Amino acid sequence: MKISLNWLNDFLPVSQEEAAVEALVHDLAMLGFEVESRESVRRDLSGVIAARITGIEPHPDADKLRLVTVDRGEEGPQTVVCGAPNVALGKRVPYACLGAKLPGLDKPLKKAKIRGVVSEGMLCSDVELGLSEDHSGLLELDDSWKAGECLDERLGLCDTMLDIDITQNRGDAFSIVGIARELAALRGVELKEQPRELPEPSGEEAVKVSIEQGCAQTGAPRYAGLVLSHITVGDSPRWLRDRLEAVGLRAINNVVDITNYVMWETGHPVHAFDRREIRGNEIRVRFAKAGEAFTTLDGQQHELDGEHVLICDGERPVALGGIMGGENSMVAEDTSEVLLECACFDPVNIRMGSRRAGIQSDSARRFERGVDMDNVPEVLQRMARLMIDCCGAQVAGPIVDEYAAPRQRPEIALRPARVTALLGLDVPKERIVTHLRSLGIEVREGEGDTLLARSPSWRFDLEREVDLIEEVVRMEGYDQVPDQLLAGIPLDQPANASLALRNRVRDALVRLGFRQQCSYSMVSPDLLERFHPERPALRIRNPLAAEMSVMRHSLLPSLVECAVYNLNRSQEHVALFEIDREFHPDGQSETGCREGMMLCAVLAGRQRGADWQDTERRFGFHDLKARAEELLRELALKDLEWSEGGEGPWSANTLSASRKGRLLLQVGQIEPRVLAAQGCEEELFALQLDLEALEEIGAGLPQYRAFSRQPLLLRDLSLLVEDRHSAGAVREVLEQGLRKLLSDLRLFDIYRGEGVPEGRHSQSWSLSFCAPDRNLRDKDVDPLIKKTLARLKKELGVELRG
Amino acid sequence: MQEQLDQLRTAFAEALEAATDTGALAAVHHRWLGAKGELRTLFGQMKQLPAEQRPAFGQAVNALRGDLEQAFFAKQESLRASVSADAIDLSRPGPRLHTGGLHPLAQVQDRIIEVFTSMGFTVNEGPEVETEYYNFDALNTPFWHPARRDSDSLYIEDGHMLRTETSPVQIRTMQKRRPPLRMIAPGRVYRNDKPDATHSPMFMQVEGLAVGHGLTFAELKGTLLEFYRRLFGRDTKLRFRPHFFPFTEPSAEVDVSCVFCRGAGCRVCKQSGWLEMGGSGMVDPEVLKEVAIDPEEYTGYAFGLGIERMAMLLYGVDDIRLFYENDLRFLRQF
């Protein structure tokens, strides 16, 4: 909410000095009202005086210009060139002296030659003075202005606007008075009253007011009206327009402006009806009928339901209660009598009602946070007083006030000891009482040490002891609360094992050269569809956009999307991973969803190369496999059942590892057609590890195995293998046959071509042998190799290559 | 005599051949071609020869010297060339390393978790798809509260919702564990916010909760002060400002003295000297009652902070969307 410091100054002394404004902003922050922005407004009219037109001559050289002589009081007469149409003898208009810095001009005013005639100074319209956008003619000053009087005193402006964040619970502070009240409490000053005394009514004009049975409790507990006559609808005075415009409201006419002014000042939304349109001389407050149509004053028609409150005259609805007035009864240019409304509405009713009707109004914004119900007559008086002063109004009758459901404000017990116990700040009882009273809270002694407190009528957030404790600490100052260090840490607290395991996996991935990504859980349904059309997805009812409308049931699409994004931006080496949740619809779960923790990693692009000492190589399946094996080693996972082949997005080049039938890990190449749909022509390899399965299986710690410190004996074997046999099969036989002395083996070459018969290939294995206790010699190893070769020949038809 | 010359020629050739660096080459020059070298010695011997043999001998030695010098310079040349081929060019770039790394948000989250666990807080997690009960009702958020609107929160078609805070984890934890307890709940949360430089429909939060005998507002302040000091340095200051949250009373907005200007006022803190870090407060009695903890016997405090906000401050990131775009040019910087 925007407030003007000039306006605030009506209630308590406020200075525009920089230091004072700083202090004010700080005080507001420490009261719980954050100032989001501030802005200075300065309209300096010190170089402009009132002048009376004493002579008008035609310009010798221009039809539309005239030479106007003005009386400037002590400064004497002066003739200037003027083109305004509303020049007339005797009129009082603003005259800007040479050197004046006008708000509407870029530079100080200089002597000017206009069509051959020198003009010293100028007569001004609203535009040059920065008063409005009206440039139809000179600003006409009324007869109260004396020639030579400086305009700055009456039309100048020096103000500061603060935009204040009002929290949901503080409807009482949603006004100039509300903010003033808080500051007055903190600074210990008295609030000044604004004029609201009214003369005796000139007659007995009044409308009958009734609130329908049932509507008072949950709709409109109070409704009051007052009839004013002899109204002249016109522009509001400058000071009033200035204040409204400063806080962001548009000036419309004096009657409407005053209703807005009173709302901003008191926080109580009010309304003015054209009395001519109130039929049957009565106001009935009732709930709308379901489906009832009503047109609000902005010309919008709304279909209402049985919980909207309607303000009706004898025949029809005239306002949507607490939200907006009706088009049929709004004040017009020729309105001379008005019915002023000041009513109270149920906060929740207004909040939900305006939401259902799709109307946001300043009125609803206030009523939904709670508006003082006990100040209704005072608000009506204040509004009437302003209309008497600004619209020539007369009070035509008494205030008619129907307070059908008075608000109860029960006493709240407050134990001073509890204040200290909750805050850790010792506040003596007398100070507690002082603080509460400064906020308008009634306090009396209760039984024992207890205090009994009653909320002021404007507060809606004080219902419990703890609410009062907050008021005490707010007044005492949050900065007065000491900072205490932790007492007694509970020791037997459960550790988070799944987080620890997740971090272990995560750190292993980082060591293996993967970068962690973090992507949205909400994704496009099309994306998921491309990877897993068979899986159902959780759909968001009110998504931000179609591409964020379902919860992902697989991390893989997000990883692929990110990899493609980076490949498309010339990031050649892509090694990414993410550990997060997958969401699966599950009717059995209380949240309708089963959330599984997954690791997904991808490799794509150039593994190495493009450097002066490396030859280029692109990522292949085995690069990922090596990393997967290293991960499994780190997690000490053994006894996995391996299978080949994939489905869905996983191509045939996929290895899967399970344990007791539960799928744990997949390592494979993603189907090129799935990638193509994603706009990716690269080969892409992915790894997926089910962290919940991992947690169930339980990752171990690597167990130390003694290694031999004897020198290694190295042997290379080149084997001719039929193409139908895999390296894995050969390796198995080698490991089996040589296991007594084999320390390590490595496949270092695969060869097809000259010297190798058709249908076969050559596998070159490098073997290293050692024994725990002695230095091996050829004679130890040779027989073993010979036996194993025989076995290879027998089982796989493998021969030693010559 | 001729024999002597041939011997010298051979010995020289062998020595030259054997010289593989400039040091050895210099030694060869010194021994044969130097001022006191063997060729000089040969010339010296000329005096002992009969006069008629001298011219022929002189010519032969001169020819030999020409040959040796030519061989020597050729060798020197070739050695120079081969030396510069072997020298490494130190200015060449090393090959690009492809290291792995944690996402910046994970790094910040790790630091937060580390500090709080060292202060005796456990780490608890809960579902991201939640019931309205856990996300709102149990946290004292009435049905009409604006946060519950479609324009603020994201709902699943079946009526469940994406949690808007990690606070539901507090409720779930309190249902299972009795006080005294101290916990934090890190995780993803969701809001119906269009992405822009400072908003994201999904972001990461850490919320904390402590419930026990005699926990006070002062201890909340002390705990957060200690936390921020460990994170930002011992001279960090803390400011509490009144605020409103449905689940705490009294509630406070937490400001930390600006980590860049140390409170003097700068661009990041908008000259205020303070950075807004998150909300906190004493657990509202209604929340404790909801999980059958007697608010007369126990009190508690709770706080929340945004990980993105902290990461943006620590790393100088000016657009929250960068965290979720996962551009490697961004990720590689952390």
Side-chain angles (χ1 to χ4, degrees):
Chain A
M1 186 194 62
K2 274 192 170 181
I3 65 162
S4 135
L5 293 195
N6 280 347
W7 202 339
L8 194 62
N9 194 50
D10 287 355
F11 294 90
L12 82 171
V14 176
S15 158
Q16 307 271 353
E17 300 274 327
E18 176 60 24
V21 176
E22 280 289 328
L24 185 76
V25 168
H26 178 260
D27 282 356
L28 285 172
M30 295 316 284
L31 282 164
F33 302 99
E34 194 180 349
V35 175
E36 291 182 327
S37 64
R38 55 188 265 206
E39 187 190 345
S40 292
V41 181
R42 182 100 182 96
R43 190 168 65 224
D44 179 2
L45 299 179
S46 54
V48 187
I49 56 173
R52 199 165 51 86
I53 299 177
T54 54
I56 305 172
E57 300 287 330
H59 189 287
D61 242 2
D63 289 346
K64 288 187 176 168
L65 297 178
R66 280 175 288 183
L67 305 182
V68 180
T69 307
V70 292
D71 170 17
R72 301 181 296 174
E74 287 180 9
E75 298 280 313
Q78 175 69 46
T79 302
V80 294
V81 179
C82 179
N86 61 335
V87 184
L89 279 178
K91 265 190 186 170
R92 288 167 170 80
V93 293
Y95 167 83
C97 311
L98 288 182
K101 290 174 187 156
L102 297 179
L105 297 182
D106 299 336
K107 292 174 184 164
L109 192 60
K110 281 195 298 199
K111 199 185 283 186
K113 205 178 219 179
I114 302 168
R115 291 283 186 104
V117 179
V118 173
S119 184
E120 283 195 27
M122 78 183 284
L123 304 182
C124 307
S125 73
D126 274 21
V127 177
E128 288 89 39
L129 301 179
L131 293 170
S132 78
E133 300 298 303
D134 179 8
H135 52 77
S136 59
L138 299 178
L139 169 65
E140 296 182 19
L141 301 170
D142 63 32
D143 292 349
S144 67
W145 289 86
K146 288 192 286 288
E149 190 181 343
C150 183
L151 257 68
D152 196 41
E153 281 154 35
R154 284 157 76 179
L155 291 177
L157 185 65
C158 173
D159 202 355
T160 305
M161 305 306 144
L162 302 181
D163 197 349
I164 302 178
D165 184 24
I166 310 287
T167 50
Q168 283 296 325
N169 59 330
R170 294 303 303 273
D172 65 287
F174 215 133
S175 62
I176 305 289
V177 173
I179 294 295
R181 208 157 35 205
E182 285 284 312
L183 286 167
L186 184 74
R187 296 179 170 186
V189 296
E190 287 281 311
L191 271 194
K192 285 183 270 181
E193 290 270 339
Q194 288 307 294
R196 56 179 167 82
E197 64 287 354
L198 300 181
E200 280 301 305
S202 60
E204 288 294 315
E205 285 294 325
V207 291
K208 191 169 148 260
V209 172
S210 62
I211 302 172
E212 205 171 72
Q213 191 71 31
C215 188
Q217 310 305 326
T218 57
R222 189 172 192 176
Y223 193 99
L226 173 64
V227 177
L228 302 183
S229 61
H230 297 83
I231 299 258
T232 309
V233 175
D235 283 343
S236 298
R238 169 53 48 196
W239 65 266
L240 200 155
R241 274 158 57 190
D242 274 344
R243 284 189 175 181
L244 290 184
E245 281 161 9
V247 299
L249 292 170
R250 199 163 54 89
I252 296 165
N253 61 49
N254 48 6
V255 175
V256 174
D257 290 351
I258 287 169
T259 60
N260 282 330
Y261 186 89
V262 168
M263 170 178 70
W264 218 266
E265 180 174 275
T266 67
H268 205 131
V270 289
H271 188 60
F273 296 102
D274 187 331
R275 174 79 196 287
R276 290 172 300 183
E277 298 296 337
I278 302 299
R279 299 176 187 167
N281 205 35
E282 71 166 320
I283 288 290
R284 287 190 299 118
V285 183
R286 64 168 172 87
F287 282 124
K289 297 183 207 52
E292 194 168 354
F294 182 69
T295 305
T296 43
L297 52 74
D298 55 0
Q300 301 290 313
Q301 183 169 328
H302 302 277
E303 191 180 313
L304 306 178
D305 57 45
E307 285 176 52
H308 284 115
V309 176
L310 276 177
I311 312 301
C312 308
D313 62 12
E315 299 172 12
R316 58 191 183 152
V318 289
L320 179 53
I323 299 176
M324 200 177 275
E327 192 179 39
N328 57 13
S329 53
M330 59 197 267
V331 170
E333 274 180 35
D334 60 346
T335 299
S336 64
E337 270 191 35
V338 295
L339 168 66
L340 303 184
E341 168 197 289
C342 181
C344 300
F345 299 93
D346 179 72
V348 175
N349 181 297
I350 296 297
R351 189 181 288 275
M352 302 311 278
S354 62
R355 209 186 282 180
R356 287 197 307 276
I359 304 174
Q360 287 196 332
S361 67
D362 284 323
S363 172
R365 248 193 297 284
R366 284 165 177 74
F367 279 122
E368 68 186 19
R369 291 168 190 234
V371 165
D372 193 350
M373 293 196 198
D374 290 11
N375 69 349
V376 165
E378 290 82 355
V379 172
L380 271 179
Q381 287 160 7
R382 172 74 177 138
M383 177 159 54
R385 180 71 245 171
L386 285 165
M387 291 206 186
I388 291 169
D389 294 344
C390 305
C391 318
Q394 292 184 11
V395 179
I399 290 175
V400 179
D401 184 3
E402 178 72 10
Y403 197 174
R407 183 179 160 214
Q408 302 301 316
R409 286 178 279 126
E411 281 186 318
I412 310 158
L414 173 64
R415 296 160 293 174
R418 185 73 180 167
V419 175
T420 311
L422 193 68
L423 297 179
L425 169 72
D426 196 21
V427 189
K429 190 171 175 183
E430 312 78 66
R431 280 181 73 83
I432 294 175
V433 173
T434 310
H435 287 326
L436 295 180
R437 286 195 176 138
S438 73
L439 288 160
I441 298 168
E442 295 163 33
V443 189
R444 66 182 180 95
E445 292 280 344
E447 276 180 36
D449 206 30
T450 309
L451 294 169
L452 292 172
R454 193 189 302 279
S455 162
S457 61
W458 54 85
R459 292 292 293 265
F460 287 78
D461 58 330
L462 305 179
E463 292 174 342
R464 305 165 301 167
E465 183 181 45
V466 69
D467 301 329
L468 296 172
I469 295 176
E470 182 175 60
E471 294 308 288
V472 171
V473 66
R474 222 161 50 84
M475 284 299 118
E476 189 73 19
Y478 272 38
D479 50 354
Q480 295 304 306
V481 178
D483 42 85
Q484 267 166 16
L485 275 180
L486 297 158
I489 296 173
L491 289 175
D492 57 339
Q493 301 291 301
N496 190 328
S498 18
L499 178 65
L501 178 61
R502 215 182 307 150
N503 283 349
R504 213 176 133 191
V505 172
R506 184 189 76 170
D507 294 347
L509 264 291
V510 169
R511 275 194 298 279
L512 291 167
F514 290 88
R515 289 241 157 230
Q516 186 186 20
Q517 69 167 49
C518 187
S519 56
Y520 285 144
S521 310
M522 315 84 94
V523 297
S524 140
D526 297 343
L527 177 71
L528 290 185
E529 188 84 2
R530 260 170 244 146
F531 287 78
H532 288 289
E534 78 288 357
R535 289 191 195 170
L538 226 49
R539 312 185 76 84
I540 296 171
R541 174 164 59 71
N542 56 333
L544 279 143
E547 59 271 19
M548 288 194 275
S549 63
V550 295
M551 298 303 286
R552 59 183 176 192
H553 47 49
S554 168
L555 294 187
L556 181 60
S558 300
L559 267 297
V560 171
E561 205 173 38
C562 258
V564 173
Y565 169 97
N566 281 296
L567 288 168
N568 287 344
R569 280 157 187 78
S570 306
Q571 301 304 302
E572 296 255 38
H573 178 102
V574 175
L576 287 165
F577 81 99
E578 184 163 13
I579 295 179
D580 225 287
R581 303 181 196 205
E582 295 182 345
F583 301 83
H584 306 280
D586 179 3
Q588 302 298 307
S589 154
E590 78 172 316
T591 63
C593 176
R594 186 173 59 74
E595 298 177 21
M597 194 59 79
M598 272 291 175
L599 154 71
C600 189
V602 294
L603 282 185
R606 197 155 56 192
Q607 195 253 353
R608 57 151 209 245
D611 277 307
W612 55 271
Q613 52 185 2
D614 278 342
T615 49
E616 163 160 339
R617 198 160 74 67
R618 303 196 79 74
F619 277 122
F621 170 84
H622 296 94
D623 291 309
L624 187 60
K625 186 188 172 191
R627 287 159 175 80
E629 282 171 344
E630 182 58 18
L631 177 65
L632 294 178
R633 190 197 59 74
E634 285 208 24
L635 297 172
L637 280 172
K638 276 179 254 157
D639 304 328
L640 298 176
E641 300 122 30
W642 288 93
S643 63
E644 284 184 19
E647 54 186 29
W650 301 90
S651 75
N653 298 331
T654 299
L655 287 177
S656 300
S658 320
R659 174 92 158 262
K660 290 176 189 150
R662 177 147 190 198
L663 181 62
L664 179 70
L665 173 74
Q666 274 170 292
V667 186
Q669 183 174 3
I670 299 304
E671 277 288 353
R673 63 179 161 74
V674 173
L675 295 175
Q678 208 57 40
C680 176
E681 286 166 11
E682 281 280 342
E683 288 189 331
L684 189 142
F685 306 92
L687 174 158
Q688 191 168 278
L689 176 69
D690 183 336
L691 285 161
E692 278 184 8
L694 177 64
E695 200 177 343
E696 249 171 61
I697 292 167
L701 290 175
Q703 296 299 305
Y704 165 71
R705 256 179 50 207
F707 56 93
S708 165
R709 293 177 190 276
Q710 302 294 330
L712 290 176
L713 185 97
L714 302 176
R715 282 297 178 84
D716 288 349
L717 290 181
S718 278
L719 305 172
L720 283 174
V721 185
E722 288 171 47
D723 284 347
R724 65 193 170 96
H725 293 305
S726 68
V730 173
R731 178 191 175 130
E732 203 169 306
V733 178
L734 285 173
E735 282 178 338
Q736 275 293 318
L738 304 170
R739 67 179 181 283
K740 270 189 206 153
L741 297 175
L742 189 68
S743 137
D744 196 13
L745 81 172
R746 190 162 54 85
L747 179 64
F748 72 86
D749 191 37
I750 301 273
Y751 174 75
R752 278 185 179 81
E754 209 177 318
V756 176
E758 194 69 15
R760 292 188 174 210
H761 63 279
S762 146
Q763 294 180 5
S764 298
W765 293 88
S766 168
L767 311 171
S768 47
F769 299 92
C770 70
D773 50 352
R774 64 202 154 96
N775 200 345
L776 286 181
R777 300 188 188 284
D778 288 345
K779 64 176 168 49
D780 300 316
V781 173
D782 286 342
L784 209 55
I785 291 180
K786 204 172 161 194
K787 247 163 77 183
T788 306
L789 283 173
R791 199 169 145 190
L792 272 172
K793 180 161 173 75
K794 192 176 151 223
E795 289 180 18
L796 301 172
V798 168
E799 286 180 54
L800 197 59
R801 191 174 161 209
Chain B
M1 192 51 79
Q2 187 58 43
E3 194 179 324
Q4 197 183 353
L5 291 185
D6 286 345
Q7 267 177 13
L8 196 147
R9 188 186 292 272
T10 312
F12 176 82
E14 277 169 12
L16 196 62
E17 179 68 36
T20 55
D21 56 45
T22 46
L25 200 64
V28 170
H29 190 272
H30 178 79
R31 180 171 165 200
W32 279 281
L33 301 170
K36 291 178 182 170
E38 297 202 13
L39 268 181
R40 275 271 162 226
T41 317
L42 270 185
F43 273 117
Q45 287 172 2
M46 208 152 57
K47 287 182 227 156
Q48 300 158 8
L49 286 176
E52 69 279 6
Q53 287 182 15
R54 284 184 194 170
F57 181 75
Q59 275 174 13
V61 175
N62 268 332
L64 178 63
R65 185 171 70 182
D67 289 350
L68 295 196
E69 276 178 355
Q70 201 183 345
F72 178 83
F73 290 128
K75 175 78 183 182
Q76 194 175 43
E77 215 30 56
S78 85
L79 203 58
R80 229 176 243 156
S82 76
V83 161
S84 62
D86 284 351
I88 56 170
D89 176 357
L90 299 180
S91 73
R92 285 184 203 169
R96 167 83 54 92
L97 291 179
H98 297 292
T99 52
L102 287 182
H103 193 277
L105 293 178
Q107 297 187 35
V108 173
Q109 183 176 293
D110 278 4
R111 285 179 69 182
I112 295 169
I113 289 177
E114 189 187 306
V115 172
F116 278 117
T117 46
S118 74
M119 289 163 77
F121 286 75
T122 60
V123 183
N124 294 75
E125 294 170 293
E128 288 172 24
V129 177
E130 264 296 359
T131 63
E132 282 199 63
Y133 172 77
Y134 281 107
N135 197 75
F136 288 131
D137 300 335
L139 289 159
N140 197 33
T141 311
F143 73 92
W144 48 260
H145 196 279
R148 301 182 78 140
R149 288 180 301 199
D150 270 15
S151 59
D152 286 42
S153 298
L154 292 168
Y155 290 89
I156 303 295
E157 281 180 349
D158 65 5
H160 293 103
M161 63 177 302
L162 299 178
R163 67 179 179 193
T164 55
E165 276 145 344
T166 56
S167 331
V169 183
Q170 303 181 355
I171 301 295
R172 288 179 180 278
T173 307
M174 283 191 284
Q175 282 177 340
K176 281 184 227 130
R177 260 164 64 194
R178 306 312 292 171
L181 62 87
R182 251 177 221 156
M183 57 158 287
I184 55 167
R188 297 181 162 203
V189 298
Y190 303 83
R191 306 268 170 93
N192 199 345
D193 284 334
K194 284 239 173 332
D196 64 23
T198 54
H199 294 87
S200 171
M202 186 192 88
F203 56 97
M204 313 234 294
Q205 231 189 9
V206 174
E207 299 220 354
L209 169 79
V211 183
H213 286 291
L215 295 190
T216 63
F217 203 43
E219 185 170 320
L220 166 62
K221 215 174 173 181
T223 305
L224 288 179
L225 178 64
E226 180 59 21
F227 166 72
Y228 284 111
R229 283 189 167 164
R230 290 199 195 176
L231 216 60
F232 295 138
R234 297 311 299 178
D235 59 344
T236 302
K237 292 183 190 67
L238 194 75
R239 183 172 81 167
F240 267 27
R241 281 182 290 115
H243 201 71
F244 171 69
F245 305 109
F247 30 86
T248 49
E249 185 84 9
S251 304
E253 194 83 66
V254 182
D255 295 340
V256 161
S257 54
C258 181
V259 295
F260 298 99
C261 62
R262 295 283 147 201
C266 68
R267 191 185 53 81
V268 179
C269 62
K270 292 178 194 143
Q271 307 306 328
S272 72
W274 296 99
L275 295 171
E276 210 173 301
M277 298 308 301
S280 70
M282 299 305 289
V283 181
D284 195 287
E286 303 306 316
V287 174
L288 293 176
K289 283 185 209 159
E290 193 61 41
V291 289
I293 292 176
D294 181 3
E296 283 293 306
E297 187 181 352
Y298 293 104
T299 52
Y301 57 81
F303 53 84
L305 50 110
I307 294 178
E308 282 82 355
R309 163 113 178 111
M310 206 167 282
M312 287 170 92
L313 285 173
L314 288 169
Y315 298 123
V317 175
D318 57 3
D319 191 326
I320 195 171
R321 289 169 294 195
L322 285 163
F323 292 121
Y324 297 103
E325 203 174 43
N326 296 305
D327 196 310
L328 279 165
R329 289 165 292 186
F330 174 77
L331 295 179
R332 271 200 293 264
Q333 297 184 28
F334 302 95

